[in-house]
Amino acid sequence: MLSARRLVVKIGSALIANLETGEIRGPWLETLIEDVARIFARGQQVIIVTSGAVAVGSSYFNRLGRALPVEDKQTAAAIGQVRLMRAYERALRRHGFGVGQMLLTREDIDNQHRRLNAASTLQQLLKLRAVPIINENDTTATAEVCFGDNDRLAARVAQMVNADVVILLSNLDGLFSEDPHDNPAARLVTEVRCITPEIEAMAGHSFARHSSGGMVTKLLAARIAMDAGCKMVIARGNKSYPLAAIENGGPSTWFVPLAKATQCTSANSAEDCSRRSSEP
Ligand code: GLU
């Protein structure tokens, strides 16, 4: 993380918002933004991909904690996005940063012309010390063309601007050998170099029960990031100063791309490609 020039940090809904009340978790956000400011001060750049618009906007519908029909979700996103941005802006302003909101869809990133425009806007924002805050444009994205989770959106953004690291802040310490809710003896995988069928099987069950992504989409994001030569890390984000915790060696799973010429083969499969915390 220290050697990265550009980092993409993805914040899940359950971190930024209290899912029961729809309120933004202001004190936690302050600590995250302190981390972000410290990383900028070292000469590195941070792009934030944030969820939470639907969770925050749902309070308008008096149906907190229950699933909303699609059209209400899209409306909740429109309302919640404004509150979300206000909170990010307030927190970043304290550290002398501006913010720039970018709402993207998969079509924006798949289309070369729009992708280049988005990439150039991102570069300009960073030059102006305005931290890019990205979310999927839920009001226009339809089921057929949406990411539906911001894990893959974060990886695609990283690919688009040649970021070096994607950080997915989750409600788990990382990828486990089994569902840690069911089996307390499940082991944390600390490093993955190839996404093998064994690694995929570990993510088979959606461990993160309150997020729209879960481990499956995190692995899809890892594949996108690694193919782009970018590292990715999954770590628990719900504590204060979550980025400092990763830097200080807190529990996490790192996905490290192999050198360009090396292929994932059965010769360097699961056991060679992943390390578990129980191993030296
Ligand atoms: N874009 C959605 C929101 O802002 C969240 C998608 C996700 O959970 O990854 O609420």
Side-chain angles (χ1 to χ4, degrees):
M1 245 167 100
L2 291 175
S3 60
R5 190 177 53 95
R6 191 170 277 168
L7 303 94
V8 175
V9 179
K10 184 257 171 173
I11 317 293
S13 298
L15 300 181
I16 187 75
N18 176 329
L19 299 180
E20 304 299 316
T21 64
E23 273 164 32
I24 290 177
R25 296 178 63 228
W28 174 84
L29 180 61
E30 298 293 331
T31 71
L32 169 80
I33 297 303
E34 270 185 53
D35 276 352
V36 168
R38 198 173 31 78
I39 293 173
F40 268 102
R42 292 199 301 239
Q44 300 169 284
Q45 297 177 331
V46 179
I47 294 167
I48 294 178
V49 174
T50 188
S51 304
V54 174
V56 171
S58 293
S59 57
Y60 240 71
F61 289 87
N62 276 332
R63 287 187 55 147
L64 282 160
R66 280 181 294 152
L68 290 174
V70 174
E71 61 276 18
D72 289 352
K73 256 194 194 166
Q74 292 183 310
T75 311
I79 295 166
Q81 184 65 26
V82 179
R83 296 187 185 169
L84 212 51
M85 286 309 295
R86 223 185 274 143
Y88 276 104
E89 188 179 34
R90 203 179 307 123
L92 281 159
R93 200 189 312 128
R94 286 204 190 104
H95 296 272
F97 291 96
V99 292
Q101 170 185 267
M102 292 179 65
L103 297 178
L104 300 175
T105 59
R106 207 172 82 191
E107 282 176 312
D108 293 326
I109 297 185
D110 287 346
N111 176 290
Q112 191 193 18
H113 188 65
R114 282 148 74 168
R115 183 174 65 244
L116 291 176
N117 280 337
S120 113
T121 306
L122 269 168
Q123 321 262 19
Q124 283 291 109
L125 286 171
L126 288 165
K127 244 188 238 161
L128 295 171
R129 256 178 94 79
V131 179
I133 311 278
I134 301 176
N135 195 354
E136 182 159 22
N137 191 349
D138 295 314
T139 61
T140 62
T142 55
E144 301 74 43
V145 296
C146 74
F147 285 108
D149 64 90
N150 278 348
D151 299 328
R152 278 172 293 174
L153 175 61
R156 292 294 302 272
V157 166
Q159 182 188 46
M160 184 166 92
V161 294
N162 295 320
D164 311 284
V165 178
V166 178
I167 300 173
L168 299 185
L169 294 180
S170 155
N171 53 3
L172 274 185
D173 289 331
L175 176 71
F176 282 83
S177 56
E178 290 168 69
D179 188 337
H181 296 106
D182 297 339
N183 183 358
R187 287 168 303 166
L188 178 69
V189 178
T190 55
E191 190 176 296
V192 175
R193 286 177 179 267
C194 297
I195 301 183
T196 58
E198 189 200 1
I199 296 289
E200 278 170 355
M202 292 176 188
H205 6 261
S206 191
F207 299 155
R209 288 169 179 164
H210 294 293
S211 91
S212 56
M215 264 314 147
V216 174
T217 58
K218 286 179 178 50
L219 277 201
L220 294 172
R223 225 183 252 288
I224 297 169
M226 290 163 92
D227 283 351
C230 175
K231 290 184 188 171
M232 193 187 97
V233 59
I234 303 173
R236 185 184 292 278
N238 57 4
K239 52 190 153 203
S240 299
Y241 302 101
L243 303 179
I246 301 172
E247 285 176 2
N248 295 334
S252 61
T253 302
W254 278 91
F255 293 82
V256 182
L258 291 171
K260 283 263 179 289
T262 320
Q263 299 275 319
C264 277
T265 62
S266 51
N268 59 7
S269 66
E271 284 309 310
D272 300 323
C273 294
S274 65
R275 265 210 320 255
R276 290 172 187 168
S277 55
S278 58
E279 294 170 5

